[in-house]
Amino acid sequence: MGTNLCILVRAGDIRQSGHEHFVRVQRKDIAMKIGVSGASGQLGKAVVEELKARGGNHGIVGISRNPQTVSPPATGRLGDYDRPETLAEAYAGLDRLLIIPASDVRPGIRARQFVTAIDAAVKAGIGHIVLISTAATREVAEPDMYAPYWTAEQHLMKTAPRWTILRMNYYAETFAQLAAMSLRIVPGLGENRVAFVSRDDLGAAAAGVLLGEGHAGAIYNATGPAALTGEQRAAVITEVTGNPSRFTVLTEPQLRGGMLQAGIPQEYVDSMVDIEKHFLAGSFDIVTGDVEKLAGRTPRSLRDVLTTAIGQPSTV
């Protein structure tokens, strides 16, 4: 098993040749074994790739229901939040672990999965557990889709020997997908501000926590560089695509009806309405420098993500 010791240079940070970010120098003869739980999802893959890119003599373990999707030099292990017996072996021998939530948004499921994963990690003797949470974490009850994150954070802080929480803002890529479905209208329950974060930036920030020191007991907020209003988001879509777009305030029944008519399953409609309610409440109206601090790079703007995802094709 590895150790958390590291050599600090100029307060712990130097520029690593070939990368834009800053990293801590690890002694080559002292390595950690780092696990990423949820490694086959999009965020998990981003974290694993970032850990690979940063180098170091560390063992990277990708834990997933589909461990065959984890590519070398990382090692894949079977681990299923719904099968606690698989987590004991999956988490064995790890020094640090990142827990990424599964995609099941049905009430009661995610909270149970979080607690199961945290308990398994503590029982496995993992010294430092890092949790992906959300900026919308509040003491709310199910079926609010953000209730499980409150449960997870509280349980982690009460049981883990050392912990770090990385709260994410709303994914810029998810907004891009929704925008592509309805370019002319950006719906909302009211004007609001959201500091959309790129998935790759969140992954790089998570890798920074896993590899670095001084993060125990910290709660970070991974955000984009600015919080944009609904009107500003519509303006960016117009600029990027060349198609006029506008922000439109809808009632909750109108929002629900439109999504159901589009064929979106009921549980996801409920989740999207919860998200819009939290947008309106200001839960995602927060901008920090945590991505730059942890990833060593400036976070991507919503305009940049939209240009990549749905921008007009080049005529050159």
Side-chain angles (χ1 to χ4, degrees), residues 67-301:
Q68 70 277 6
T69 63
V70 179
S71 60
T75 301
R77 291 183 184 177
L78 173 64
D80 188 336
Y81 295 146
D82 292 324
R83 296 167 58 196
E85 70 277 7
T86 66
L87 299 180
E89 185 173 350
Y91 293 168
L94 299 180
D95 296 295
R96 297 183 180 182
L97 174 69
L98 176 69
I99 296 177
I100 300 173
S103 59
D104 197 330
V105 296
R106 291 175 297 169
I109 302 297
R110 186 172 276 174
R112 173 178 53 78
Q113 292 175 336
F114 270 137
V115 171
T116 296
I118 292 167
D119 284 347
V122 172
K123 188 174 182 179
I126 297 175
H128 193 160
I129 304 170
V130 181
L131 175 72
I132 295 295
S133 188
T134 171
T137 299
R138 304 288 190 277
E139 187 177 4
V140 293
E142 302 267 12
D144 189 297
M145 74 166 294
Y146 293 111
Y149 293 95
W150 170 262
T151 299
E153 289 191 9
Q154 295 300 305
H155 192 64
L156 180 73
M157 289 186 282
K158 292 174 182 176
T159 61
R162 298 172 79 233
W163 55 267
T164 305
I165 294 169
L166 181 57
R167 291 176 173 174
M168 58 172 287
N169 212 277
Y170 194 74
Y171 275 145
E173 290 83 359
T174 301
F175 177 78
Q177 291 176 329
L178 296 173
M181 296 170 60
S182 181
L183 290 174
R184 298 189 181 279
I185 296 178
V186 177
L189 295 175
E191 188 56 283
N192 58 79
R193 295 168 63 90
V194 179
F196 298 93
V197 66
S198 161
R199 183 181 290 109
D200 286 344
D201 287 337
L202 177 63
V209 173
L210 290 168
L211 290 171
E213 298 296 331
H215 303 303
I219 299 178
Y220 295 113
N221 275 279
T223 76
L228 303 181
T229 66
E231 290 186 357
Q232 288 172 325
R233 302 193 295 263
V236 172
I237 293 173
T238 299
E239 176 186 337
V240 167
T241 67
N243 298 314
S245 181
R246 71 180 189 277
F247 178 68
T248 302
V249 175
L250 303 176
T251 64
E252 184 176 328
Q254 287 174 326
L255 185 62
R256 286 184 178 277
M259 288 190 286
L260 289 171
Q261 189 174 7
I264 299 175
Q266 181 68 57
E267 62 265 28
Y268 290 102
V269 170
D270 293 340
S271 297
M272 290 304 299
V273 170
D274 277 346
I275 289 168
E276 289 293 339
K277 288 179 178 178
H278 281 275
F279 280 3
L280 190 61
S283 300
F284 294 91
D285 185 7
I286 177 174
V287 177
T288 74
D290 288 347
V291 165
E292 187 163 7
K293 173 182 178 179
L294 299 171
R297 68 191 190 207
T298 302
R300 297 176 68 191
S301 67

Side-chain angles (χ1 to χ4, degrees), residues 6 13 19 51 76 86 119 188 224 234 262:
C6 66
D13 293 323
H19 297 283
L51 289 171
T86 66
D119 284 347

